[in-house]
Amino acid sequence: MLQGGEIIIILFLALIVLGPKRLPEAARKLGRWTAELRAAARDIRRGLESEVSELKDLGDELKKTGDEIRKPLDEIRKPLDEVVKDVNDTTGGRVAWTGPKPVSGPTPEDAMADLEEMNKGKVEEDGA
């Protein structure tokens, strides 16, 4: 913002440049321009406020829709949670490993031996 001393200097320079006859006319034009700028700024502000309020209303509407969708999902989730809880209570939360304890993981030879053993069992089932 301009302070008092700066305004006086500007007015003095305007008086020298424009002269006493044209200075009042220039001041009126300047006043009209500032009034137009303020009106335009007010219109822009009103438009932005209305857009923001519309977006807020839309957001509230979407939240309500999301809550309406969530209610049936929660009703479906409750029985599933109960089943998971029952399974965890029964097994202690984990299924016990009954195979050999791995040292560093199976070797390719172990994998091939397992595959052959599975194929033998499959052939015996088919042949029996």
Side-chain angles (χ1 to χ4, degrees), residues 1-117:
M1 286 301 292
L2 298 175
Q3 296 181 1
E6 295 169 343
I7 292 174
I8 292 173
I9 293 172
I10 291 172
L11 290 175
F12 183 70
L13 288 174
L15 181 62
I16 292 173
V17 172
L18 297 175
K21 291 183 180 180
R22 291 190 302 176
L23 185 61
E25 185 181 325
R28 276 193 287 282
K29 284 184 180 179
L30 182 63
R32 286 186 202 125
W33 289 345
T34 56
E36 287 179 22
L37 284 174
R38 285 183 181 173
R42 220 177 4 256
D43 290 342
I44 290 172
R45 176 183 240 161
R46 285 182 190 150
L48 288 174
E49 287 174 351
S50 69
E51 291 293 325
V52 167
S53 69
E54 286 178 18
L55 288 174
K56 284 182 181 177
D57 293 343
L58 181 62
D60 292 342
E61 203 173 303
L62 287 173
K63 284 180 184 176
K64 287 178 185 176
T65 305
D67 291 341
E68 291 173 3
I69 291 172
R70 232 178 262 124
K71 286 178 186 178
L73 291 177
D74 288 341
E75 291 175 12
I76 293 171
R77 189 175 293 133
K78 285 178 186 177
L80 291 176
D81 290 342
E82 290 175 14
V83 168
V84 168
K85 183 178 179 269
D86 290 343
V87 168
N88 286 339
D89 289 345
T90 304
T91 62
R94 295 181 178 249
V95 177
W97 172 254
T98 57
K101 300 281 185 205
V103 177
S104 66
T107 63
E109 293 79 22
D110 293 337
M112 290 306 293
D114 290 342
L115 182 61
E116 289 174 10
E117 187 176 323

